[in-house]
Amino acid sequence: MTDPLIKLHDIRRTFHVGEISVHVLRGISLEIERGGYVALTGSSGSGKTTLMNLLGCLDRPTSGEYWLDGVEVSKMSSDARAMIRNKKIGFVFQNFNLLPRTTALEQVMMPLSYTNVGLSDREAKKRAVELLRMVGLGERMDHRPSQLSGGQQQRVAIARALINQPPVLFADEPTGNLDSHTTVEILEMFDRLNRQEGITIVLVTHDPNVAGHARRNIRMRDGLIEEDTVRKAAVPEPEKAQVGA
Amino acid sequence: MTIRKTLSTAVRALRRNITRSALTVLGIVIGIAAVIAMMEIGKGSSGSIAKTIASMGANNLLIFPGTAATGGVSFGGGSSLTLTAEDCDAILRECPAVAAAAPIVRARPQIIYQDKNWVPTFVYGSTPAYLEVRDWTQLAEGDIFTDADVRNASRVCVVGQTLVRELFGGENPVGKEIRVKNVAFTVVGVLAPKGANAFGMDQDDILLAPWTTIKYRVSGSSSGSSTASTSTTASSTTGNSADTTYPGAPSVFPAQSSTQSADAPMPVKFANVDQVIMSARSGTQIQPAIREVTSLLRERHRLRPGEPDDFSIRDMTESANALASTTNMMTNLLLAVALISLVVGGVGIMNIMLVSVTERTREIGLRMAVGARSRDILRQFLTEATLLCLVGGLLGLALGRGAAVMVQRFLKWPVESSVEAIVASIVVSAVVGIVFGFYPAWKASRLDPIEALRYE
Ligand SMILES: Nc1ncnc2c1ncn2[C@@H]1O[C@H](COP(=O)(O)OP(=O)(O)OP(=O)(O)O)[C@@H](O)[C@H]1O
Ligand SMILES: [Mg+2]
């Protein structure tokens, strides 16, 4: 039995706003297997984004333990967490977060400039080109965000998230700004990444159709996990063994 | 993050907002341009002053008969205006700090060659040592007259470049005969060009002859009496040339109004000279030379202790140095103003970088989310500011040099480029970038990635 990719133990997160303490996460314990495909749902304000920030090592829990790929990361320094984010985590945002006036190719290569083991320029470019081809933007390498549609921008963001070949991709409402047609395109891409590349995907969504693509649904409520279900055959013929909590 | 990557990232970021980058950099461009132009013009003028001082004769000293304060000083009975050629010989013999010395007899006669005439600024009677003192021994044509010529009061002379131009129309005057106040002189040599002195006087407008010839043949020939001869030579010392221009005319002022009248009864045989020019062995030997010459002349002139000197010694470089220090002060003042404008430019950089950090908060958040550490962000913004300033510095350098060249071409001011100024301005602009870019960069690096990503 291999380690789970992600293991949370009694994670709590409390914000202090003036005199008041806001307990946003109130004890989350959770394991996500390698190659998992998880949708995080729940009403607004239930703490999904807060949990995603913790999972993505952008934030540190007030208490609790977090093992990512076998390493306890919750007590790490901000520099060490930056390294983890660079190597092990891919981020996809609701609003794409592309650099203005920068070509798609440069956007995708950008995280490599913070990677210690330097790839040569040619290798870096080759990898970025491959990724852009994979997300279907082989013809649009030199386009800037203003020259791309929302769906295309999100695909650039996905390519960027994958440049360092991370084992896991976190996406907070990745289709929140997209129409239903484009949403399907993006989700098909996630499905393929999960199925063919074995990348673990955790996404937050309000849309049941989007959640339907995942094999596992976690519903949150008031900073706690309310329901954790494993769906069978939601995606046509999942190739991997079923995973569960 | 490698230096090359940091640089290319910075260049890309600056190019994304090229207009603003250009405007931001303008303050530095103007500041550096001002500094460079000031340095080059300042260095040019102090260089030309240094050259002028050297051409006047470095370490030169002048001895005049009479006290420095001629105005209200009454000369005691028996005091006489005596500075003689023998004094000059004695100085050379007995003062080790003096390298060379030459007596000077001045006149201001008209010079005639064929149908042309000219009144040179300087007509000096001296010895061959004069050129040694003035560091002017290189002649353009011919040779200097000899000590034998001085003993025999030979009618020979050497002339400066201005005379060659004005009298001889540029042709070689060696061997030609000119008339100085109706005395025929043979030109034996032409002096090398020297240019203007610190006061703008043309040093090439000179005729140099044995002092004996000038004293006894030229000055003496205008009137038979020895009184007139001393009066003529002496009055040229004070710069009042009215009676040399019209030698036969009666003097406008009574004789006692000038200090020279005191020696009116002096017989000519003492061989008074108007001044003695000498050079110290080096700059540090100037003061010892003054001391030695003073005590020697006091002894020779039999002055009792307490009696004032009957001569005065003037340090030639003094007034030139005063001129140089004035120029230096002006240059430093302007340089200070230029540096202030550089600081203002730096504040401009800081301001724009702060705006840029705020504007790019989301970008900073994203970079952090994909793995940038705070020091990467700090370095990125610091590099951008420094790069801006360096580019500004280089542009300013070009602009400043251009301005200096224009000043040289159109205003004819002396200009001198200096490697130090160029290196300094590059260093200064880099330092301005680092100093004024640090605060914005530090602010950027302190951002919280979550807050930054959420920033609208
Ligand atoms: N930095 C903070 N300081 C104080 N309170 C915070 C902070 N961040 C989040 N919260 C609070 O935590 C709660 C959960 O916020 P969170 O963004 O995780 O919700 P969410 O589930 O992502 O909601 P949505 O579906 O609307 O995106 C909210 O009530 C919010 O006000
Ligand atoms: Mg949210």
Side-chain angles (χ1 to χ4, degrees):
Chain A
M1 164 96 193
T2 53
D3 276 352
L5 180 66
I6 288 168
K7 182 164 185 258
L8 300 182
H9 178 69
D10 195 27
I11 289 286
R12 291 165 192 271
R13 184 70 172 97
T14 307
F15 292 107
H16 301 278
V17 184
E19 302 277 284
I20 311 157
S21 297
V22 187
H23 301 279
V24 178
L25 297 181
R26 300 188 295 154
I28 303 251
S29 297
L30 174 70
E31 282 184 14
I32 297 174
E33 300 301 313
R34 284 169 205 278
Y37 194 169
V38 181
L40 209 53
T41 57
S43 59
S44 190
S46 56
K48 304 182 293 294
T49 297
T50 307
L51 181 59
M52 285 296 267
N53 287 341
L54 287 171
L55 287 171
C57 291
L58 286 167
D59 196 8
R60 283 202 294 197
T62 311
S63 70
E65 283 149 19
Y66 172 18
W67 284 271
L68 175 66
D69 206 8
V71 184
E72 157 57 352
V73 294
S74 63
K75 311 283 187 298
M76 276 185 170
S77 72
S78 67
D79 280 1
R81 280 185 289 128
M83 204 115 87
I84 298 276
R85 290 198 294 271
N86 186 245
K87 304 283 273 181
K88 302 222 167 146
I89 294 169
F91 271 109
V92 177
F93 305 91
Q94 179 175 354
N95 49 14
F96 324 135
N97 270 329
L98 297 183
L99 298 179
R101 299 182 219 186
T102 306
T103 66
L105 194 63
E106 283 170 356
Q107 310 262 11
V108 174
M109 283 169 35
M110 188 266 278
L112 288 177
S113 54
Y114 302 108
T115 308
N116 275 346
V117 259
L119 236 51
S120 77
D121 275 2
R122 204 145 43 82
E123 281 175 296
K125 193 167 171 188
K126 188 164 155 258
R127 202 191 279 184
V129 167
E130 271 170 23
L131 280 168
L132 279 169
R133 288 224 181 90
M134 191 195 78
V135 298
L137 291 175
E139 307 298 309
R140 300 188 186 272
M141 311 249 191
D142 296 326
H143 287 222
R144 285 143 213 274
S146 57
Q147 300 163 323
L148 294 168
S149 73
Q152 288 166 337
Q153 288 186 53
Q154 193 62 300
R155 282 189 270 167
V156 173
I158 291 168
R160 178 181 65 195
L162 297 173
I163 189 76
N164 260 329
Q165 299 165 320
V168 59
L169 201 62
F170 293 113
D172 195 349
E173 303 190 40
T175 58
N177 285 5
L178 302 176
D179 64 26
S180 56
H181 178 72
T182 320
T183 297
V184 171
E185 272 178 25
I186 295 294
L187 286 172
E188 277 170 358
M189 189 161 300
F190 280 154
D191 296 346
R192 202 170 66 231
L193 286 172
N194 179 254
R195 215 171 44 225
Q196 290 176 359
E197 316 287 330
I199 294 171
T200 309
I201 291 172
V202 180
L203 57 78
V204 170
T205 184
H206 287 283
D207 184 343
N209 292 327
V210 174
H213 278 254
R215 287 191 297 278
R216 178 178 168 195
N217 275 7
I218 296 175
R219 194 158 80 235
M220 289 185 65
R221 184 177 170 162
D222 289 338
L224 288 169
I225 294 175
E226 187 187 46
E227 199 180 78
D228 189 346
T229 53
V230 177
R231 201 182 297 263
K232 290 190 195 282
V235 181
E237 305 136 33
E239 284 154 19
K240 296 219 162 192
Q242 293 297 312
V243 283
Chain B
M1 205 166 174
T2 65
I3 289 166
R4 203 166 52 83
K5 265 184 192 161
T6 312
L7 274 178
S8 72
T9 308
V11 168
R12 223 173 286 141
L14 292 175
R15 276 223 308 252
R16 260 181 5 217
N17 220 326
I18 190 80
T19 321
R20 185 162 74 189
S21 301
L23 287 174
T24 309
V25 111
L26 209 55
I28 299 295
V29 172
I30 292 169
I32 291 288
V35 169
I36 289 290
M38 285 307 107
M39 296 279 259
E40 299 211 340
I41 292 167
K43 204 172 170 225
S45 50
S46 53
S48 82
I49 285 171
K51 232 182 279 162
T52 314
I53 292 171
S55 82
M56 284 168 70
N59 315 327
N60 277 12
L61 295 165
L62 277 173
I63 312 173
F64 294 96
T67 50
T70 39
V73 174
S74 72
F75 291 84
S79 86
S80 51
L81 207 55
T82 52
L83 191 61
T84 63
E86 287 75 42
D87 284 337
C88 181
D89 293 341
I91 287 168
L92 205 51
R93 245 189 349 262
E94 292 176 31
C95 300
V98 175
I104 293 177
V105 174
R106 315 214 303 187
R108 202 173 161 79
Q110 194 180 49
I111 316 262
I112 297 168
Y113 173 69
Q114 291 170 353
D115 57 342
K116 296 203 188 88
N117 68 79
W118 184 252
V119 180
T121 316
F122 306 103
V123 175
Y124 279 181
S126 191
T127 62
Y130 176 81
L131 294 184
E132 223 172 283
V133 175
R134 296 288 314 271
D135 195 15
W136 205 355
T137 45
Q138 207 64 42
L139 266 71
E141 303 279 353
D143 257 316
I144 180 68
F145 50 83
T146 61
D147 286 319
D149 289 328
V150 176
R151 274 195 302 279
N152 303 334
S154 310
R155 288 176 305 214
V156 289
C157 66
V158 295
V159 295
Q161 295 287 339
T162 305
L163 265 74
V164 174
R165 201 173 59 240
E166 298 293 341
L167 275 182
F168 300 96
E171 62 180 288
N172 187 354
V174 173
K176 300 269 161 43
E177 195 163 277
I178 55 173
R179 301 186 77 76
V180 180
K181 245 183 184 179
N182 286 329
V183 182
F185 276 74
T186 308
V187 178
V188 294
V190 178
L191 295 166
K194 192 94 165 160
N197 69 11
F199 314 103
M201 286 156 100
D202 180 7
Q203 300 180 94
D204 293 324
D205 193 9
I206 188 170
L207 182 141
L208 201 63
W211 70 270
T212 45
T213 320
I214 296 288
K215 187 162 182 72
Y216 300 123
R217 295 189 196 275
V218 177
S219 298
S221 69
S222 66
S223 93
S225 90
S226 61
T227 312
S229 118
T230 31
S231 149
T232 302
T233 51
S235 61
S236 63
T237 310
T238 57
N240 178 2
S241 59
D243 50 356
T244 50
T245 315
Y246 309 102
S251 181
V252 180
F253 300 103
Q256 60 264 39
S257 69
S258 75
T259 56
Q260 285 72 34
S261 64
D263 71 341
M266 281 295 301
V268 152
K269 64 171 175 160
F270 279 99
N272 301 355
V273 295
D274 291 328
Q275 44 186 261
V276 169
I277 188 169
M278 58 188 185
S279 60
R281 290 202 184 276
S282 69
T284 54
Q285 291 292 298
I286 289 177
Q287 290 313 318
I290 291 174
R291 270 199 307 278
E292 288 168 14
V293 170
T294 304
S295 74
L296 176 71
L297 287 183
R298 284 185 69 88
E299 189 186 311
R300 284 180 61 83
H301 295 181
R302 300 197 176 79
L303 298 173
R304 283 187 296 272
E307 247 182 305
D309 294 343
D310 63 351
F311 57 89
S312 59
I313 301 177
R314 203 194 297 159
D315 181 352
M316 284 270 279
T317 53
E318 214 167 71
S319 41
N321 282 346
L323 207 64
S325 75
T326 311
T327 317
N328 273 348
M329 202 183 70
M330 284 308 290
T331 308
N332 287 342
L333 212 65
L334 290 170
L335 201 62
V337 173
L339 282 174
I340 287 170
S341 81
L342 209 55
V343 171
V344 173
V347 172
I349 295 263
M350 176 147 78
N351 192 10
I352 297 295
M353 287 310 288
L354 277 174
V355 171
S356 172
V357 166
T358 310
E359 205 182 71
R360 286 155 67 190
T361 300
R362 280 262 289 273
E363 175 188 331
I364 295 163
L366 172 74
R367 286 181 182 275
M368 286 176 158
V370 300
R373 295 161 299 178
S374 24
R375 79 179 84 133
D376 294 322
I377 301 295
L378 183 85
R379 184 158 32 173
Q380 184 189 339
F381 279 87
L382 214 49
T383 309
E384 279 181 31
T386 310
L387 206 63
L388 263 185
C389 284
L390 270 178
V391 169
L394 287 175
L395 288 176
L397 197 68
L399 198 69
R401 290 240 52 201
V405 168
M406 298 288 249
V407 159
Q408 184 173 36
R409 181 150 318 154
F410 296 113
L411 297 181
K412 307 280 183 229
W413 290 4
V415 159
E416 209 175 302
S417 72
S418 85
V419 179
E420 296 97 318
I422 290 169
V423 172
S425 67
I426 297 299
V427 171
V428 162
S429 51
V431 167
V432 164
I434 291 168
V435 167
F436 290 96
F438 189 83
Y439 176 64
W442 179 81
K443 256 191 100 171
S445 75
R446 306 299 299 170
L447 284 174
D448 174 57
I450 299 170
E451 301 276 321
L453 277 169
R454 208 185 285 151
Y455 185 85
E456 291 301 326

